[in-house]
Amino acid sequence: MTDQPSRDIRLFGTDEPVQPPRLLRAGPLSAELEAGNLRYIRYGGAEVLRAVSYVVRDRDWGTYNPEITELGIDEDAQGFTVSYRARAADAGQAFAYAARIEGRADGTLVFEASGAAESPFLTNRTGFVILHPIAGVSGAPVTITHTDGREVAGRFPELIDPVQPMMDLRALAHVTPEGHRVTCLMEGDTYEMEDQRNWTDASYKTYVRPLALPWPYELAPGEEVAQRITVSVEGAEIAAATDETVTVTLGPSFGEMPALGMGLDPDDTAAALTVTAPLAAMGAAHLICHHDPRRGHGTETLRAQIDVARALGAEPWLEAVITSVDGFAEEIAALGRMVGALGAPFATVLLSPAPDLKCTLPGSIWPETPDAAEIAAAARAAFEGKRIGGGMFSYFTELNRKRPPIAALDLVSFTTSAMVHAGDDRSVIETLQALPAIAQSAAAIAAPLPFAVGPSAIGMRANPYGAAPKPNPGNIRQAMSFNDPRQRGLLGAAWTLGYIAEFAGGGAEAIALGGPVGPFGAVHVPGDLPTPGYDRAGALYPPYHPLKALARHRGRPLRRVALSDPACVTGLAIDTPTGTELWLANLTAAPVPLALPPGAADMTLLTEAEFAAAAKTPDHFDHTRPATDTLTLGAYGLVRLRGLT
């Protein structure tokens, strides 16, 4: 760790500059303009839509960051207009468009765009996307207008819908929790909705062009694409709350703290063995060891991963890709013999056919794979007496769309990434809001079996929707990135605490987060990836500390934590022999005043002020200070209070 990393390095792991959003107002209507799109559309301070965006995506579902020029903004008390030109391009193709946004004080918002490709342009989606928030909307009624003008009554899904809950859309109308009627008219193409909670997004997404049509599709040079979104809000203006203090209240005990583990890529084994002391101190319950013959993995890569697990004192789990379709039983049997020759150390065995590592979109033909129940039966024969898991090595989306054979399994598992659709800081943090629904839906899929999640991280360890995750040599914020800088910042620690809190509260038996070292690591080892601010092997990334401190509480009772603003602060409470231990994290880039439960024996902070020292101190959370009943917690900061009753 360098002596004085910048504030941005401490918070985000990158010095990439970020243009702050521009707040636009038209009477009671407001919206944030960010990179040419609208976020947090509010009426009288109450959110009515999460976003209206014009997006251009490549053939791997990667979203272009368009270059915006000729930006003009006019605003007065009665309305605003925004106009700009934009160009989405890479080395092989480009799409240019012009956009205009108008907001009026009567609650009307119009966003229109038209453009054309400069050369043949392959895209999976070019056009508008509308995001409805989930809080207070999940399970609520919606009026659907189809493209032929028919109106029908529907509901936003409560459990996460695996495919499209609404199709052939021209307009949607719903009533917000505050009583505003919001109508969204979508013109220029046919739209449909997907439940974006599948990918941990905190929204329902209505998007242009049905997925049942071929993709990628080609836009011919000069072919015009013109679309318009009109949002209308009706209802009385609601006075916004002015007290910014977040009140924290402890509730009753429930459930128990799950086991915390990590994932391991064979490419990281040598580096992990150079920093075993701080890694062993973490006390990880399990280490998920990855095996994929397509990458040349064999006996030696398995042996090296087992060595890491033993050095860390963690139980090794096997996560193995099965490449054969007709000869899968023989392949699994051979894998069992290979593992047996290594001492049969894997108590839990997870297997997946290789085709299931890639997404099959709704309406597409599923690739040929072995029957999942037959894979499980072959695994039981090859790994006698071991716990056999099934599910998906990719994301909850794929688990939801291809349900595992529960009767043949002992455990259901899946992973997540916080960057499938957007890479900005607020979108990453917002993914925590979707986790309760994922936990509820996963428990329903797995019942009566337990479910485990991970190895998961902010970044993508694999890309089910394209060839691979995006490389990130510039260390920037970008969706579908392999090396996300926030893994090395305080935001990563706050996200980690929130992830554990939500899945622990949702009943997960085990949670695996990140890895020992590398792009998803807890401990720094110099390598080929950019890691500004870190120059010493063994330096600790901020997520190291909540993982280490919470791993010791496996099996202890949890307590409910009530937060007056759960979008700003996340919390986790565990009953221990010396009283309740309460963890809180600020999920924003601004300081947050907290009203805390009284009577704590002591407290420990992890904020900007402690960042450099914590990077050198594995036992950072063993150092305490007197507790207080109020606290202003800095940007993405963590606090632990102990001894509460």
Side-chain angles (χ1 to χ4, degrees):
M1 169 59 61
T2 53
D3 290 337
Q4 294 295 334
S6 69
R7 183 172 190 263
D8 282 349
I9 292 294
R10 284 177 281 168
L11 294 184
F12 310 113
T14 177
D15 280 319
E16 179 198 14
V18 175
Q19 185 70 29
R22 166 78 178 264
L23 182 62
L24 304 170
R25 294 185 183 277
L29 181 71
S30 68
E32 295 184 19
L33 179 67
E34 185 175 86
N37 293 317
L38 298 179
R39 299 183 68 167
Y40 306 108
I41 300 162
R42 297 181 172 93
Y43 192 82
E47 184 179 24
V48 295
L49 286 176
R50 179 59 49 94
V52 178
S53 302
Y54 191 86
V55 302
V56 183
R57 289 192 163 150
D58 63 22
R59 64 179 305 158
D60 290 326
W61 294 102
T63 302
Y64 289 95
N65 291 322
E67 178 186 359
I68 293 176
T69 58
E70 301 179 36
L71 176 64
I73 302 175
D74 295 315
E75 188 174 12
D76 58 32
Q78 294 305 307
F80 60 80
T81 59
V82 177
S83 61
Y84 63 86
R85 303 191 72 84
R87 187 172 184 267
D90 56 31
Q93 59 183 22
F95 179 87
Y97 59 99
R100 185 179 185 277
I101 304 170
E102 180 184 1
R104 300 196 291 267
D106 65 359
T108 302
L109 179 68
V110 180
F111 192 164
E112 54 190 355
S114 62
E118 298 176 2
S119 60
F121 190 88
L122 278 177
T123 178
N124 285 348
R125 179 171 298 144
T126 293
F128 278 109
V129 167
I130 302 96
L131 303 184
H132 285 76
I134 59 176
V137 177
S138 175
V142 59
T143 300
I144 300 166
T145 303
H146 291 295
T147 56
D148 62 2
R150 290 180 300 115
E151 284 192 3
V152 298
R155 285 188 177 273
F156 290 97
E158 185 170 357
L159 288 179
I160 300 176
D161 195 301
V163 286
Q164 298 102 323
M166 303 174 203
M167 303 177 71
D168 184 37
L169 302 178
R170 180 63 66 229
L172 295 171
H174 79 288
V175 178
T176 71
E178 293 77 20
H180 299 126
R181 181 174 176 81
V182 182
T183 302
C184 188
L185 174 66
M186 300 159 284
E187 299 175 283
D189 206 331
T190 300
Y191 291 73
E192 63 188 24
M193 177 186 286
E194 66 188 12
D195 194 335
Q196 247 195 161
R197 297 175 299 172
N198 275 295
W199 297 272
T200 76
D201 298 74
S203 58
Y204 301 99
K205 179 171 73 178
T206 304
Y207 53 88
V208 72
R209 186 176 167 91
L211 288 176
L213 295 176
W215 56 272
Y217 59 98
E218 183 176 284
L219 298 176
E223 177 186 352
E224 185 182 19
V225 177
Q227 300 164 15
R228 179 171 57 194
I229 304 298
T230 304
V231 178
S232 304
V233 185
E234 303 172 8
E237 183 177 347
I238 307 297
T242 57
D243 187 3
E244 296 181 350
T245 299
V246 177
T247 301
V248 185
T249 307
L250 290 174
S253 297
F254 75 103
E256 63 180 37
M257 184 69 186
L260 298 184
M262 294 182 287
L264 179 62
D265 189 280
D267 292 348
D268 294 328
T269 53
L273 289 171
T274 67
V275 287
T276 54
L279 290 171
M282 291 181 69
H286 57 290
L287 189 69
I288 300 178
C289 303
H290 188 69
H291 177 81
D292 187 347
R294 299 172 305 170
R295 292 175 55 189
H297 298 164
T299 301
E300 293 310 312
T301 52
L302 278 178
R303 189 193 311 277
Q305 292 184 85
I306 294 164
D307 288 344
V308 174
R310 287 171 176 161
L312 272 55
E315 178 183 278
W317 289 18
L318 176 61
E319 179 189 66
V321 177
I322 304 304
T323 62
S324 176
V325 175
D326 296 329
F328 71 90
E330 293 79 5
E331 182 179 350
I332 293 172
L335 178 62
R337 291 191 294 272
M338 181 190 301
V339 169
L342 294 171
F346 300 110
T348 298
V349 175
L350 311 169
L351 302 179
S352 173
D356 280 352
L357 273 63
K358 293 298 182 182
C359 167
T360 299
L361 288 180
S364 301
I365 298 174
W366 286 88
E368 184 181 3
T369 60
D371 179 77
E374 293 180 5
I375 287 179
R380 289 204 184 279
F383 299 93
E384 187 175 354
K386 307 300 184 181
R387 186 167 68 155
I388 304 301
M392 287 287 176
F393 294 176
S394 54
Y395 305 134
F396 173 79
T397 318
E398 285 66 55
L399 174 72
N400 203 16
R401 290 176 175 170
K402 188 175 184 180
R403 305 293 176 88
I406 300 302
L409 300 172
D410 303 311
L411 175 75
V412 172
S413 69
F414 60 95
T415 72
T416 72
S417 165
M419 295 174 46
V420 174
H421 291 120
D424 63 279
D425 299 329
R426 290 190 295 181
S427 293
V428 165
I429 287 294
E430 283 175 2
T431 62
L432 299 173
Q433 298 173 24
L435 300 188
I438 286 187
Q440 180 185 14
S441 300
I445 291 170
L449 301 180
F451 75 91
V453 60
S456 301
I458 293 176
M460 268 191 163
R461 67 172 187 154
N463 183 2
Y465 316 110
K470 289 181 177 295
N472 191 9
N475 200 42
I476 63 173
R477 302 163 172 88
Q478 69 176 3
M480 294 191 171
S481 177
F482 181 66
N483 173 43
D484 187 77
R486 287 156 296 198
Q487 180 68 23
R488 302 177 293 278
L490 286 171
L491 187 152
W495 180 87
T496 294
L497 178 63
Y499 196 93
I500 295 170
E502 298 298 353
F503 272 116
E509 179 192 82
I511 304 170
L513 277 166
V517 297
F520 316 116
V523 177
H524 176 67
V525 175
D528 296 333
L529 299 174
T531 54
Y534 294 89
D535 56 8
R536 178 179 63 84
L540 312 173
Y541 299 144
Y544 174 94
H545 296 288
L547 287 169
K548 174 180 182 290
L550 291 169
R552 71 186 69 173
H553 293 311
R554 177 183 182 181
R556 286 179 172 159
L558 299 167
R559 285 188 70 176
R560 299 288 182 191
V561 179
L563 300 157
S564 61
D565 191 348
C568 288
V569 177
T570 186
L572 174 69
I574 307 113
D575 283 335
T576 78
T578 57
T580 297
E581 184 170 305
L582 172 64
W583 286 76
L584 301 167
N586 179 356
L587 300 177
T588 76
V592 172
L594 300 175
L596 301 168
D602 59 53
M603 63 190 292
T604 304
L605 291 167
L606 178 57
T607 68
E608 296 174 58
E610 294 83 19
F611 180 89
K616 305 172 184 176
T617 312
D619 61 350
H620 172 75
F621 273 91
D622 292 340
H623 301 278
T624 63
R625 64 183 70 183
T628 58
D629 294 349
T630 60
L631 172 70
T632 297
L633 188 58
Y636 301 110
L638 277 69
V639 61
R640 183 196 64 189
L641 295 95
R642 296 192 301 183
L644 290 160
T645 58

